[in-house]
Amino acid sequence: MNNHEMFFNKLHSICSQNQGQRTAATFAELAEAHKQIACPVTDSSEPIQQDVVALFQHNATPLNLHVHRCSDWQDAAATIAAIAQQAGLEFTAQKEIIAHDHPDLRQLDLGPLLAKQRIPFHLTSGNGAEIQKNTRNSFIGITAADWGVAESATLIQLTTEGRPRSTSLVPSIHIGVLPINRLLATLEQAYAMLMNIPLPDSFVFISGPSKTADIEAHMVHGAHGPKEMHTILVDTEGKAV
Amino acid sequence: MSKQSERASYTDLAHQGLKNAPLQKGLRGIQQRYGQGALHIWDSFADPSLRKRVKAKRESTLAHLDIVLEELTKNIEQRGGNVFFAPTAQDAVNYVLDLASKKEVQRVVKGKSMTSAEIGMDEALEQAGIKVVETDLGEYIVQLNQDTASHIIAPCIHLDRKQIGRLFHEKLDIPYTDDPPTLTQEARKALRKELLSADMGITGCNIACAETGHISLVSNEGNIRMATTMPKIHVALMGMERVAATLDEHASLLQLLTRGAALQKLSTYVSFQGGPSEKGSPDGPEEFHLVIIDNGRSKILADPDFQEVLSCIRCGACLNICPVYGRIGGHAYNSPYSGPIGAVITPLLHGINNHADLCKGETLCGACKEVCPVENDLPRMLSVLRHKLAYGDPQWNVTPHNKSEHRFFSLWSRLVRTPKLYHILIRLSGVLQRPFLSRDNMVSKLPGKFHGWTTTRDLPPIAESSFRQKWLQNKIASKNVVRKGQKD
Ligand code: SF4
């Protein structure tokens, strides 16, 4: 008997004795039975908010997450350029920026704008080692999100080609970009989205900059991930998702 | 665990905890804020029976654990991940050691994992000559201090900023400072080097999801994302019960976890891993190994009295409300699992006699049950453990814990069933107690073996005349009154 068989046999004999709660014979049956027990986590103290952007902003403030609402892609690009101009350096000697190679971010056309500030700009495409090097050399990482969640000020990112994980992690500052038509109200809605697509090996929910309160419960931003985070919400003129 | 024979007793460690001023301050802070805060959140739920339903789902998943883990395994293997089932702690350790030696691993970065502490992973790797660095700030501090965690979520609440400042000055060779942002920044610099250069990342698993074939990890610092992104190999250690059947169940457990642990709607990062990263990706591990650990859990699952405890999602809320943990701190529990959950799970995993003090130390006040996101009835399970210790239990290899106590109560039970003897003895004790009465007329020091009863409490003295005597006198007196009345 191999490792798996041994384990499953043992477990099967234990679980089979649980007469009361054991009702399903297959995983599909179990999943079906679970669907009958709905458990949405909702908090009645939440302000009732029709406007998801306002709700996102409301929940971002306590997380020290900066939210910028931009009227179009051009406005978004200008906002990013302004952040890049003002922000200071932490790990590196000069300013460089890396961005996900994603259709949303290509619309920003950041290259020429940043060239004016003499900031080298990289995309996460091409050679893996090159991307790694550029990521470590960048002080800002710009990422494209799949969805936003207003109730927790969260961005959800699937790890897919052109969107590696370290862009939102290794640089000191993370800028997440999301068209407003992909901003959802609740986490439950976001999970519903995840249920309907084949999921990649990795995905992540990000709600604000990295932080720690391990020393005397004193809140400090920038433990191991970015110490500063901006979310750019781009108006998409009501275009459908 | 190996250090059991030489470990200090619960009582001694509890006394040390009570005298530790930084610990006391840390405990007060965490209990005032998080314990009460979690209760407040549950009260604010629009639907008061939500936690009950989540628990029902959780228990149903546990009742189908074989099916659920098979699904998880299938889905992870489909993506090219490896799954290994470890019947014991040693099997899990050996698997990781073999892997590390095959891949010539020299540096390991860790994400906070209690399962890893349970199986003694760090010590084993270090003995094999591998450098191991804890990367959660609290765990890193504890590791530098050659210490153990004293809270399952906030590992270093027993240290204050001055102690941490001195530690960093000594170990990291930086000028002394007690400024938390500066200290954090120093740790950030030191750990970044480790995180970017390690060959293997080892993490735990908060909640896996069988339906999609992922494990999920929560963190605020980002160290866990680093440890699962930068090294070439990611090993996740998971207690076999830490799995949700469906994405739906995952959603509710996750939100109860982050609320219960730190009053957050979500932690800063919730990352899902379900296999090695795709070929050609610039980052992410080339190999993903999930080690699913039994180490005594199947025995708990098979016992209807205790299977409920496997619903625990290790949020730490019960520590943040427990009046006992709130005074003595985590070290007294002699285990990576402290507080009320530790008092139940530690004896079950490592021997009930071995950790007999834990269930007796808790007060059974019920606060932990109230605050628990999955409403685990820890007080009930603590009572069952006490029962086993009193009477023994061959199934759990328990021998009666305190033979003289056992003998005393058997005698006592015989005595109360012999009223005549009982009354004589009580009257006699009323006289014999006199030399032991303190000035405020309390018994504050009992002789011999009984002195334990009075070290922390005073007993009221035995009354001059008993209730029974008074009753009888009363009856006689009232009869006299009646007779007198009839005469008149
Ligand atoms: S027993 Fe409940 S409160 Fe305690 S750690 Fe587990 S889930 Fe949290």
Side-chain angles (χ1 to χ4, degrees), chain B residues 54-199:
Chain B
V54 174
K55 171 70 162 288
K57 252 192 205 182
R58 185 91 186 97
E59 292 203 306
S60 156
T61 296
L62 291 171
H64 300 87
L65 197 57
D66 52 337
I67 298 173
V68 172
L69 287 178
E70 235 175 319
E71 184 72 15
L72 176 71
T73 306
K74 185 189 86 192
N75 287 330
I76 286 181
E77 286 180 340
Q78 255 166 22
R79 277 198 213 90
N82 304 286
V83 180
F84 176 74
F85 288 94
T88 67
Q90 198 55 52
D91 294 322
V93 166
N94 289 346
Y95 179 84
V96 180
L97 287 180
D98 280 354
L99 179 67
S101 108
K102 234 189 284 161
K103 302 284 164 180
E104 295 173 8
V105 169
Q106 284 168 356
R107 304 151 80 91
V108 169
V109 281
K110 298 267 315 286
K112 199 167 96 60
S113 156
M114 281 166 279
T115 314
S116 149
E118 173 193 323
I119 65 174
M121 195 68 248
D122 288 13
E123 295 87 334
L125 286 165
E126 275 162 4
Q127 265 165 28
I130 295 168
K131 182 175 180 194
V132 184
V133 183
E134 292 288 347
T135 60
D136 172 84
L137 179 59
E139 290 285 351
Y140 178 61
I141 291 168
V142 163
Q143 189 187 33
L144 283 182
N145 203 31
Q146 295 171 329
D147 200 354
T148 53
S150 65
H151 187 287
I152 67 177
I153 304 292
C156 69
I157 49 160
H158 56 290
L159 298 171
D160 65 15
R161 61 177 81 191
K162 292 208 177 75
Q163 290 167 309
I164 297 167
R166 284 195 293 274
L167 181 70
F168 276 27
H169 170 59
E170 219 177 90
K171 298 277 165 90
L172 301 182
D173 204 19
I174 57 160
Y176 172 84
T177 167
D178 59 13
D179 176 46
T182 315
L183 291 168
T184 304
Q185 181 68 24
E186 289 299 336
R188 173 177 170 91
K189 272 197 285 187
L191 287 171
R192 189 177 169 91
K193 275 191 219 127
E194 306 289 349
L195 285 163
L196 294 183
S197 65
D199 331 286

Side-chain angles (χ1 to χ4, degrees), chain B residues 152 312-318 341 372-374 376 378:
Chain B
I152 67 177
C312 171
I313 47 175
R314 302 281 190 274
C315 71
C318 55
I341 179 62
C372 175
V374 288
N376 262 347
L378 296 172

Side-chain angles (χ1 to χ4, degrees), chain B residues 354-421:
Chain B
N354 225 338
H355 291 273
D357 289 327
L358 300 188
C359 65
K360 298 196 296 176
E362 302 293 308
T363 63
L364 309 183
C365 70
C368 51
K369 183 184 173 195
E370 220 176 301
V371 82
C372 175
V374 288
E375 299 190 340
N376 262 347
D377 197 345
L378 296 172
R380 179 188 60 76
M381 291 182 268
L382 288 166
S383 305
V384 178
L385 285 169
R386 286 187 186 186
H387 189 271
K388 293 202 189 310
L389 280 167
Y391 298 102
D393 182 307
Q395 234 191 326
W396 282 94
N397 266 334
V398 188
T399 51
H401 175 59
N402 189 335
K403 295 229 170 70
S404 44
E405 190 179 68
H406 187 76
R407 250 176 271 140
F408 174 79
F409 279 106
S410 321
L411 263 174
W412 181 257
S413 119
R414 235 183 287 160
L415 185 66
V416 293
R417 281 175 287 160
T418 328
K420 265 198 196 130
L421 192 62

